[in-house]
Tab-separated table of all heavy atoms in Angstrom:
chain	number	residue	atom	x	y	z
A	264	HIS	N	14.017	26.903	-6.386
A	264	HIS	CA	13.250	26.971	-7.664
A	264	HIS	C	11.832	26.519	-7.369
A	264	HIS	O	11.588	25.395	-6.977
A	264	HIS	CB	13.913	26.038	-8.709
A	264	HIS	CG	13.336	26.234	-10.068
A	264	HIS	ND1	12.438	25.365	-10.612
A	264	HIS	CD2	13.519	27.226	-10.967
A	264	HIS	CE1	12.082	25.823	-11.817
A	264	HIS	NE2	12.715	26.941	-12.056
A	265	LEU	N	10.914	27.452	-7.556
A	265	LEU	CA	9.531	27.213	-7.115
A	265	LEU	C	8.631	26.860	-8.291
A	265	LEU	O	8.849	27.335	-9.428
A	265	LEU	CB	8.987	28.487	-6.434
A	265	LEU	CG	9.827	29.033	-5.269
A	265	LEU	CD1	9.192	30.286	-4.747
A	265	LEU	CD2	10.001	27.993	-4.191
A	266	VAL	N	7.692	26.053	-8.028
A	266	VAL	CA	6.656	25.731	-9.035
A	266	VAL	C	5.292	25.785	-8.335
A	266	VAL	O	5.212	25.584	-7.110
A	266	VAL	CB	6.831	24.338	-9.659
A	266	VAL	CG1	8.071	24.300	-10.554
A	266	VAL	CG2	6.892	23.269	-8.610
A	267	ALA	N	4.264	26.052	-9.122
A	267	ALA	CA	2.921	26.033	-8.559
A	267	ALA	C	2.063	25.212	-9.499
A	267	ALA	O	1.970	25.490	-10.707
A	267	ALA	CB	2.346	27.465	-8.478
A	268	PRO	N	1.445	24.127	-8.993
A	268	PRO	CA	0.537	23.372	-9.835
A	268	PRO	C	-0.696	24.248	-10.117
A	268	PRO	O	-0.828	25.321	-9.586
A	268	PRO	CB	0.145	22.161	-8.958
A	268	PRO	CG	1.042	22.199	-7.802
A	268	PRO	CD	1.558	23.592	-7.650
A	269	ALA	N	-1.570	23.699	-10.961
A	269	ALA	CA	-2.773	24.483	-11.286
A	269	ALA	C	-3.545	24.853	-10.029
A	269	ALA	O	-3.560	24.104	-9.065
A	269	ALA	CB	-3.654	23.628	-12.180
A	270	LEU	N	-4.093	26.040	-10.043
A	270	LEU	CA	-4.834	26.538	-8.844
A	270	LEU	C	-6.293	26.102	-8.922
A	270	LEU	O	-6.941	26.222	-9.968
A	270	LEU	CB	-4.751	28.072	-8.762
A	270	LEU	CG	-3.350	28.711	-8.908
A	270	LEU	CD1	-3.461	30.216	-8.668
A	270	LEU	CD2	-2.364	28.082	-7.926
A	271	ALA	N	-6.786	25.561	-7.811
A	271	ALA	CA	-8.167	25.074	-7.798
A	271	ALA	C	-9.122	26.249	-7.526
A	271	ALA	O	-8.788	27.147	-6.763
A	271	ALA	CB	-8.305	24.031	-6.684
A	280	PRO	N	-9.389	24.374	-13.365
A	280	PRO	CA	-8.250	24.925	-12.601
A	280	PRO	C	-7.529	26.015	-13.389
A	280	PRO	O	-7.496	25.992	-14.616
A	280	PRO	CB	-7.340	23.718	-12.374
A	280	PRO	CG	-8.203	22.529	-12.652
A	280	PRO	CD	-9.236	22.952	-13.614
A	281	LEU	N	-6.965	26.944	-12.661
A	281	LEU	CA	-6.211	28.010	-13.273
A	281	LEU	C	-4.752	27.611	-13.452
A	281	LEU	O	-4.033	27.416	-12.424
A	281	LEU	CB	-6.311	29.292	-12.426
A	281	LEU	CG	-5.542	30.511	-12.943
A	281	LEU	CD1	-6.018	30.923	-14.327
A	281	LEU	CD2	-5.697	31.663	-11.979
A	282	GLU	N	-4.359	27.427	-14.669
A	282	GLU	CA	-2.993	27.041	-14.917
A	282	GLU	C	-2.196	28.238	-15.387
A	282	GLU	O	-2.725	29.325	-15.499
A	282	GLU	CB	-2.958	25.921	-15.969
A	282	GLU	CG	-3.732	24.696	-15.483
A	282	GLU	CD	-3.569	23.480	-16.348
A	282	GLU	OE1	-2.538	23.409	-17.019
A	282	GLU	OE2	-4.484	22.645	-16.343
A	284	VAL	N	0.619	29.516	-13.873
A	284	VAL	CA	1.329	30.248	-12.827
A	284	VAL	C	2.793	29.810	-12.877
A	284	VAL	O	3.074	28.611	-12.699
A	284	VAL	CB	0.740	29.974	-11.437
A	284	VAL	CG1	1.478	30.800	-10.367
A	284	VAL	CG2	-0.727	30.298	-11.431
A	285	ARG	N	3.671	30.724	-13.151
A	285	ARG	CA	5.122	30.385	-13.265
A	285	ARG	C	5.973	31.254	-12.345
A	285	ARG	O	5.673	32.456	-12.183
A	285	ARG	CB	5.592	30.612	-14.715
A	285	ARG	CG	4.821	29.850	-15.763
A	285	ARG	CD	5.276	28.395	-15.855
A	285	ARG	NE	4.499	27.675	-16.853
A	285	ARG	CZ	3.374	27.038	-16.637
A	285	ARG	NH1	2.833	27.070	-15.396
A	285	ARG	NH2	2.705	26.408	-17.588
A	286	PHE	N	6.927	30.618	-11.766
A	286	PHE	CA	7.847	31.358	-10.930
A	286	PHE	C	9.225	31.433	-11.588
A	286	PHE	O	9.608	30.522	-12.328
A	286	PHE	CB	7.989	30.674	-9.570
A	286	PHE	CG	6.827	30.903	-8.641
A	286	PHE	CD1	5.795	29.982	-8.569
A	286	PHE	CD2	6.769	32.020	-7.870
A	286	PHE	CE1	4.710	30.191	-7.738
A	286	PHE	CE2	5.707	32.245	-7.023
A	286	PHE	CZ	4.679	31.329	-6.958
A	308	SER	N	-6.880	28.973	-5.722
A	308	SER	CA	-5.784	28.861	-4.722
A	308	SER	C	-5.022	27.579	-4.947
A	308	SER	O	-5.525	26.574	-5.432
A	308	SER	CB	-6.423	28.873	-3.339
A	308	SER	OG	-5.389	28.783	-2.354
A	309	GLY	N	-3.771	27.617	-4.569
A	309	GLY	CA	-2.953	26.401	-4.684
A	309	GLY	C	-1.656	26.570	-3.910
A	309	GLY	O	-1.330	27.675	-3.428
A	310	VAL	N	-0.933	25.495	-3.840
A	310	VAL	CA	0.282	25.487	-3.015
A	310	VAL	C	1.488	25.810	-3.886
A	310	VAL	O	1.472	25.583	-5.087
A	310	VAL	CB	0.411	24.113	-2.343
A	310	VAL	CG1	0.788	23.034	-3.329
A	310	VAL	CG2	1.428	24.135	-1.197
A	311	VAL	N	2.508	26.422	-3.281
A	311	VAL	CA	3.762	26.679	-3.965
A	311	VAL	C	4.750	25.637	-3.462
A	311	VAL	O	4.833	25.399	-2.245
A	311	VAL	CB	4.274	28.107	-3.680
A	311	VAL	CG1	5.614	28.338	-4.372
A	311	VAL	CG2	3.257	29.128	-4.060
A	312	ILE	N	5.451	25.022	-4.358
A	312	ILE	CA	6.281	23.869	-4.047
A	312	ILE	C	7.739	24.095	-4.443
A	312	ILE	O	8.023	24.698	-5.489
A	312	ILE	CB	5.775	22.634	-4.761
A	312	ILE	CG1	4.369	22.276	-4.249
A	312	ILE	CG2	6.672	21.412	-4.594
A	312	ILE	CD1	3.615	21.319	-5.115
A	313	ASP	N	8.638	23.693	-3.564
A	313	ASP	CA	10.064	23.669	-3.922
A	313	ASP	C	10.283	22.488	-4.850
A	313	ASP	O	10.056	21.309	-4.451
A	313	ASP	CB	10.880	23.532	-2.640
A	313	ASP	CG	12.352	23.169	-2.936
A	313	ASP	OD1	12.791	23.481	-4.045
A	313	ASP	OD2	12.995	22.598	-2.060
A	314	GLU	N	10.706	22.771	-6.066
A	314	GLU	CA	10.719	21.718	-7.069
A	314	GLU	C	11.694	20.595	-6.699
A	314	GLU	O	11.444	19.405	-7.007
A	314	GLU	CB	11.101	22.298	-8.427
A	314	GLU	CG	10.855	21.307	-9.553
A	314	GLU	CD	11.143	21.923	-10.926
A	314	GLU	OE1	12.033	22.769	-11.014
A	314	GLU	OE2	10.464	21.544	-11.902
A	315	ALA	N	12.788	20.955	-6.067
A	315	ALA	CA	13.824	19.949	-5.770
A	315	ALA	C	13.327	18.946	-4.696
A	315	ALA	O	13.481	17.743	-4.891
A	315	ALA	CB	15.111	20.638	-5.278
A	316	SER	N	12.777	19.452	-3.625
A	316	SER	CA	12.399	18.557	-2.529
A	316	SER	C	10.947	18.186	-2.588
A	316	SER	O	10.510	17.291	-1.830
A	316	SER	CB	12.660	19.235	-1.199
A	316	SER	OG	11.888	20.332	-1.037
A	317	ARG	N	10.146	18.805	-3.442
A	317	ARG	CA	8.720	18.563	-3.549
A	317	ARG	C	8.027	18.779	-2.215
A	317	ARG	O	7.136	18.041	-1.814
A	317	ARG	CB	8.415	17.165	-4.098
A	317	ARG	CG	8.847	17.007	-5.529
A	317	ARG	CD	8.576	15.604	-6.030
A	317	ARG	NE	7.168	15.291	-6.122
A	317	ARG	CZ	6.656	14.073	-6.099
A	317	ARG	NH1	7.459	13.061	-6.003
A	317	ARG	NH2	5.397	13.867	-6.210
A	318	THR	N	8.447	19.815	-1.508
A	318	THR	CA	7.781	20.137	-0.250
A	318	THR	C	7.091	21.477	-0.390
A	318	THR	O	7.577	22.346	-1.140
A	318	THR	CB	8.791	20.204	0.923
A	318	THR	OG1	9.859	21.097	0.526
A	318	THR	CG2	9.377	18.855	1.237
A	319	PRO	N	5.983	21.643	0.278
A	319	PRO	CA	5.266	22.929	0.182
A	319	PRO	C	6.020	24.040	0.888
A	319	PRO	O	6.508	23.861	2.001
A	319	PRO	CB	3.936	22.639	0.871
A	319	PRO	CG	4.177	21.476	1.744
A	319	PRO	CD	5.266	20.690	1.108
A	320	VAL	N	6.137	25.174	0.247
A	320	VAL	CA	6.821	26.302	0.845
A	320	VAL	C	5.947	27.554	0.896
A	320	VAL	O	6.389	28.599	1.351
A	320	VAL	CB	8.144	26.614	0.131
A	320	VAL	CG1	9.168	25.485	0.328
A	320	VAL	CG2	7.935	26.888	-1.332
A	321	GLY	N	4.733	27.455	0.390
A	321	GLY	CA	3.868	28.625	0.405
A	321	GLY	C	2.572	28.365	-0.314
A	321	GLY	O	2.270	27.238	-0.719
B	61	PHE	N	-4.144	23.443	2.171
B	61	PHE	CA	-3.296	23.590	1.006
B	61	PHE	C	-3.985	24.446	-0.081
B	61	PHE	O	-3.448	24.533	-1.197
B	61	PHE	CB	-2.931	22.212	0.437
B	61	PHE	CG	-1.738	21.648	1.118
B	61	PHE	CD1	-1.866	20.757	2.175
B	61	PHE	CD2	-0.444	21.939	0.702
B	61	PHE	CE1	-0.783	20.221	2.833
B	61	PHE	CE2	0.656	21.387	1.312
B	61	PHE	CZ	0.497	20.535	2.395
B	135	ARG	N	-6.214	10.778	-13.838
B	135	ARG	CA	-4.850	10.601	-13.303
B	135	ARG	C	-4.827	10.727	-11.781
B	135	ARG	O	-4.309	9.847	-11.098
B	135	ARG	CB	-3.912	11.609	-13.960
B	135	ARG	CG	-2.465	11.399	-13.572
B	135	ARG	CD	-1.551	12.453	-14.127
B	135	ARG	NE	-0.195	12.262	-13.633
B	135	ARG	CZ	0.778	11.678	-14.268
B	135	ARG	NH1	0.588	11.247	-15.483
B	135	ARG	NH2	1.945	11.547	-13.737
B	136	LEU	N	-5.394	11.794	-11.305
B	136	LEU	CA	-5.400	12.004	-9.852
B	136	LEU	C	-6.268	10.953	-9.158
B	136	LEU	O	-5.913	10.455	-8.069
B	136	LEU	CB	-5.911	13.437	-9.536
B	136	LEU	CG	-5.927	13.853	-8.092
B	136	LEU	CD1	-4.512	13.719	-7.499
B	136	LEU	CD2	-6.390	15.325	-7.973
B	137	ALA	N	-7.366	10.604	-9.790
B	137	ALA	CA	-8.244	9.589	-9.180
B	137	ALA	C	-7.530	8.247	-9.091
B	137	ALA	O	-7.673	7.539	-8.090
B	137	ALA	CB	-9.528	9.456	-10.024
B	139	ARG	N	-4.316	7.855	-8.792
B	139	ARG	CA	-3.318	7.968	-7.742
B	139	ARG	C	-3.968	7.767	-6.361
B	139	ARG	O	-3.389	7.144	-5.468
B	139	ARG	CB	-2.612	9.326	-7.813
B	139	ARG	CG	-1.627	9.434	-8.898
B	139	ARG	CD	-0.352	8.648	-8.608
B	139	ARG	NE	0.329	9.142	-7.416
B	139	ARG	CZ	0.533	8.426	-6.316
B	139	ARG	NH1	0.065	7.208	-6.215
B	139	ARG	NH2	1.133	8.961	-5.287
B	140	ILE	N	-5.145	8.343	-6.178
B	140	ILE	CA	-5.856	8.212	-4.899
B	140	ILE	C	-6.224	6.749	-4.684
B	140	ILE	O	-6.160	6.206	-3.564
B	140	ILE	CB	-7.059	9.153	-4.817
B	140	ILE	CG1	-6.602	10.570	-4.849
B	140	ILE	CG2	-7.908	8.868	-3.592
B	140	ILE	CD1	-7.747	11.588	-5.053
B	143	GLU	N	-3.225	4.961	-3.582
B	143	GLU	CA	-2.965	5.303	-2.187
B	143	GLU	C	-3.868	4.506	-1.253
B	143	GLU	O	-3.452	4.039	-0.208
B	143	GLU	CB	-3.220	6.805	-1.932
B	143	GLU	CG	-2.085	7.697	-2.428
B	143	GLU	CD	-0.846	7.479	-1.586
B	143	GLU	OE1	-0.918	7.607	-0.361
B	143	GLU	OE2	0.196	7.224	-2.202
B	191	VAL	N	-4.027	12.565	5.409
B	191	VAL	CA	-3.184	13.741	5.128
B	191	VAL	C	-2.565	13.647	3.728
B	191	VAL	O	-2.539	14.646	2.947
B	191	VAL	CB	-2.083	13.855	6.194
B	191	VAL	CG1	-1.129	15.005	5.905
B	191	VAL	CG2	-2.693	14.053	7.545
B	192	ARG	N	-2.124	12.448	3.388
B	192	ARG	CA	-1.496	12.305	2.051
B	192	ARG	C	-2.478	12.568	0.925
B	192	ARG	O	-2.185	13.312	-0.013
B	192	ARG	CB	-0.936	10.858	1.892
B	192	ARG	CG	0.426	10.682	2.496
B	192	ARG	CD	0.782	9.229	2.665
B	192	ARG	NE	0.978	8.489	1.449
B	192	ARG	CZ	2.175	8.099	0.971
B	192	ARG	NH1	3.255	8.403	1.682
B	192	ARG	NH2	2.263	7.400	-0.115
B	193	VAL	N	-3.669	11.979	0.984
B	193	VAL	CA	-4.609	12.181	-0.119
B	193	VAL	C	-5.183	13.606	-0.103
B	193	VAL	O	-5.445	14.161	-1.167
B	193	VAL	CB	-5.755	11.142	-0.147
B	193	VAL	CG1	-5.220	9.767	-0.460
B	193	VAL	CG2	-6.544	11.114	1.155
B	194	GLY	N	-5.318	14.176	1.094
B	194	GLY	CA	-5.764	15.580	1.167
B	194	GLY	C	-4.790	16.494	0.475
B	194	GLY	O	-5.172	17.334	-0.342
B	195	ALA	N	-3.493	16.301	0.748
B	195	ALA	CA	-2.472	17.136	0.076
B	195	ALA	C	-2.391	16.792	-1.404
B	195	ALA	O	-2.191	17.696	-2.225
B	195	ALA	CB	-1.114	16.904	0.757
B	196	MET	N	-2.594	15.529	-1.718
B	196	MET	CA	-2.521	15.109	-3.127
B	196	MET	C	-3.628	15.804	-3.968
B	196	MET	O	-3.400	16.271	-5.071
B	196	MET	CB	-2.683	13.585	-3.122
B	196	MET	CG	-2.217	12.891	-4.342
B	196	MET	SD	-2.440	11.112	-4.091
B	196	MET	CE	-0.855	10.737	-3.432
B	197	ILE	N	-4.823	15.819	-3.368
B	197	ILE	CA	-5.937	16.411	-4.073
B	197	ILE	C	-5.691	17.915	-4.284
B	197	ILE	O	-5.917	18.468	-5.352
B	197	ILE	CB	-7.265	16.177	-3.292
B	197	ILE	CG1	-7.621	14.706	-3.332
B	197	ILE	CG2	-8.402	17.036	-3.882
B	197	ILE	CD1	-8.690	14.314	-2.335
B	198	ALA	N	-5.208	18.558	-3.232
B	198	ALA	CA	-5.059	20.016	-3.279
B	198	ALA	C	-3.926	20.424	-4.224
B	198	ALA	O	-3.960	21.521	-4.810
B	198	ALA	CB	-4.763	20.554	-1.857
B	199	THR	N	-2.918	19.590	-4.361
B	199	THR	CA	-1.741	20.013	-5.132
B	199	THR	C	-1.639	19.257	-6.461
B	199	THR	O	-0.588	19.288	-7.097
B	199	THR	CB	-0.464	19.774	-4.351
B	199	THR	OG1	-0.323	18.353	-4.134
B	199	THR	CG2	-0.510	20.450	-2.986
B	200	PHE	N	-2.717	18.559	-6.842
B	200	PHE	CA	-2.694	17.770	-8.054
B	200	PHE	C	-1.498	16.779	-8.038
B	200	PHE	O	-0.776	16.671	-9.032
B	200	PHE	CB	-2.673	18.653	-9.302
B	200	PHE	CG	-3.850	19.546	-9.407
B	200	PHE	CD1	-3.826	20.802	-8.844
B	200	PHE	CD2	-5.025	19.116	-10.023
B	200	PHE	CE1	-4.931	21.632	-8.912
B	200	PHE	CE2	-6.128	19.939	-10.075
B	200	PHE	CZ	-6.068	21.204	-9.540
B	201	ASP	N	-1.285	16.186	-6.915
B	201	ASP	CA	-0.226	15.172	-6.751
B	201	ASP	C	1.149	15.754	-7.034
B	201	ASP	O	1.973	15.102	-7.702
B	201	ASP	CB	-0.531	13.964	-7.630
B	201	ASP	CG	0.375	12.790	-7.286
B	201	ASP	OD1	0.902	12.751	-6.162
B	201	ASP	OD2	0.570	11.910	-8.170
B	202	SER	N	1.392	16.955	-6.545
B	202	SER	CA	2.686	17.548	-6.802
B	202	SER	C	3.658	17.534	-5.635
B	202	SER	O	4.845	17.730	-5.804
B	202	SER	CB	2.496	19.029	-7.188
B	202	SER	OG	1.737	19.116	-8.367
B	203	VAL	N	3.170	17.316	-4.437
B	203	VAL	CA	4.069	17.229	-3.300
B	203	VAL	C	4.480	15.781	-3.053
B	203	VAL	O	3.832	14.829	-3.518
B	203	VAL	CB	3.426	17.792	-1.970
B	203	VAL	CG1	3.236	19.248	-2.027
B	203	VAL	CG2	2.104	17.088	-1.718
B	204	ASP	N	5.601	15.636	-2.354
B	204	ASP	CA	6.093	14.298	-2.050
B	204	ASP	C	5.243	13.678	-0.938
B	204	ASP	O	5.291	14.157	0.208
B	204	ASP	CB	7.552	14.375	-1.609
B	204	ASP	CG	8.096	13.027	-1.197
B	204	ASP	OD1	7.443	12.014	-1.513
B	204	ASP	OD2	9.187	12.994	-0.567
B	205	PRO	N	4.446	12.675	-1.241
B	205	PRO	CA	3.528	12.128	-0.194
B	205	PRO	C	4.265	11.478	0.949
B	205	PRO	O	3.730	11.445	2.074
B	205	PRO	CB	2.662	11.108	-0.958
B	205	PRO	CG	3.444	10.752	-2.176
B	205	PRO	CD	4.275	11.928	-2.523
B	206	ASP	N	5.489	11.028	0.689
B	206	ASP	CA	6.209	10.359	1.802
B	206	ASP	C	6.583	11.294	2.912
B	206	ASP	O	6.847	10.881	4.062
B	206	ASP	CB	7.478	9.664	1.260
B	206	ASP	CG	7.150	8.353	0.582
B	206	ASP	OD1	5.985	7.924	0.674
B	206	ASP	OD2	8.028	7.762	-0.044
B	207	SER	N	6.625	12.580	2.601
B	207	SER	CA	7.011	13.533	3.663
B	207	SER	C	5.918	13.626	4.751
B	207	SER	O	6.187	14.152	5.803
B	207	SER	CB	7.257	14.915	3.050
B	207	SER	OG	6.105	15.371	2.399
B	208	PHE	N	4.745	13.063	4.490
B	208	PHE	CA	3.671	13.142	5.473
B	208	PHE	C	3.636	11.916	6.408
B	208	PHE	O	2.874	11.884	7.336
B	208	PHE	CB	2.324	13.291	4.778
B	208	PHE	CG	2.169	14.575	4.002
B	208	PHE	CD1	2.500	14.661	2.690
B	208	PHE	CD2	1.711	15.708	4.661
B	208	PHE	CE1	2.380	15.835	2.021
B	208	PHE	CE2	1.582	16.878	3.975
B	208	PHE	CZ	1.914	16.956	2.655
B	317	LEU	N	5.988	20.661	7.743
B	317	LEU	CA	5.116	20.408	6.559
B	317	LEU	C	4.167	21.571	6.270
B	317	LEU	O	3.898	21.902	5.125
B	317	LEU	CB	4.254	19.140	6.830
B	317	LEU	CG	4.979	17.809	6.819
B	317	LEU	CD1	4.095	16.740	7.401
B	317	LEU	CD2	5.408	17.452	5.394
Side-chain angles (χ1 to χ4, degrees):
Chain A
H264 189 257
L265 307 177
V266 291
L270 310 185
L281 178 60
E282 300 189 26
V284 182
R285 302 280 179 272
F286 283 96
S308 181
V310 71
V311 180
I312 295 165
D313 166 24
E314 192 176 33
S316 65
R317 293 177 68 202
T318 52
V320 293
Chain B
F61 276 93
R135 186 184 174 100
L136 184 55
R139 283 289 296 118
I140 295 169
E143 282 292 306
V191 176
R192 276 165 69 107
V193 293
M196 199 177 268
I197 291 166
T199 65
F200 300 90
D201 191 22
S202 298
V203 289
D204 176 14
D206 281 353
S207 59
F208 294 92
L317 289 168

